[in-house]
Amino acid sequence: AERRGRLGLPLQNNASLKTTTPTAQEKKETLTGMSTEVGVNLTTKVDLMRECLRSIRRYNKDDGMKVKRAFETLLIYVTNVARDPDEDKFRKIRMSNPAFKERVGIYEQGVKFLELCGFERVEGGKYLVLPRERYDMAVFKSAGNILQSAITNPFFGLLSPQE
């Protein structure tokens, strides 16, 4: 149970649980930010993060290097926060930063990925900030694993079902 908890999996065996998975429409609403649930469990959050990255890859097939660079940049942000969550400079991203705008900011789903990690838009959308109380090590570990998979798997997001 402890191992399953660290991996962000349900603590009980899946065969004994009846889980409700969000419909494609609910996922889409959450991804677009039109409606979000306050108590989104880790498994759902991980699925939404994965879907953000899939949509970036799927809709930018022709520019694989740009997508890979976006994923690598997201991985740097996630790794920095996971390594030192008390460091303020890792928990604040200026949206107008040229490197951020060029690599991640051009993808709405890239920003949404960071928001799923716990970042919030503040000061009229000028910054993405991760409040210290919203930091969750399990979420950041899962985000890092998803990003690593997206970077190393050449078929990530391309073979998934499209809506």
Side-chain angles (χ1 to χ4, degrees):
E2 183 180 319
R3 191 175 327 132
R4 292 180 68 79
R6 280 194 309 249
L7 294 172
L9 300 172
L11 298 179
Q12 297 176 351
N13 186 351
N14 285 341
S16 66
L17 289 176
K18 283 188 174 182
T19 59
T20 58
T21 55
T23 64
Q25 181 62 28
E26 289 170 341
K27 279 185 180 179
K28 188 174 184 179
E29 286 175 359
T30 305
L31 283 172
T32 59
M34 292 166 61
S35 74
T36 57
E37 218 176 288
V38 173
V40 178
N41 66 22
L42 181 61
T43 307
T44 304
K45 207 177 252 194
V46 168
D47 290 340
L48 293 173
M49 282 191 256
R50 189 175 288 117
E51 187 55 37
C52 284
L53 298 181
R54 281 184 185 142
S55 67
I56 291 172
R57 172 69 60 87
R58 190 171 28 239
Y59 297 116
N60 297 284
K61 293 178 194 173
D62 299 334
D63 206 353
M65 290 306 294
K66 212 170 189 181
V67 169
K68 183 177 180 183
R69 188 165 174 114
F71 291 170
E72 289 169 344
T73 303
L74 286 169
L75 183 60
I76 289 169
Y77 288 129
V78 167
T79 304
N80 284 343
V81 171
R83 189 178 308 126
D84 193 0
D86 294 323
E87 182 64 51
D88 288 341
K89 71 178 181 180
F90 295 144
R91 292 186 292 114
K92 186 172 184 177
I93 302 168
R94 187 170 37 97
M95 299 277 286
S96 62
N97 178 316
F100 177 81
K101 279 175 60 173
E102 179 186 325
R103 298 174 190 171
V104 177
I106 59 173
Y107 303 113
E108 179 183 326
Q109 297 301 324
V111 174
K112 186 65 183 170
F113 180 89
L114 290 170
E115 289 173 342
L116 286 167
C117 289
F119 283 85
E120 301 172 346
R121 292 179 197 232
V122 295
E123 296 182 30
K126 290 183 180 180
Y127 294 96
L128 282 173
V129 175
L130 176 68
R132 181 63 180 105
E133 64 274 2
R134 290 203 57 196
Y135 172 74
D136 183 356
M137 179 57 106
V139 170
F140 276 82
K141 280 186 176 183
S142 297
N145 290 336
I146 294 166
L147 284 162
Q148 196 61 45
S149 174
I151 292 167
T152 58
N153 181 354
F155 301 109
F156 182 89
L158 298 178
L159 300 178
S160 60
Q162 296 181 12
E163 295 179 16

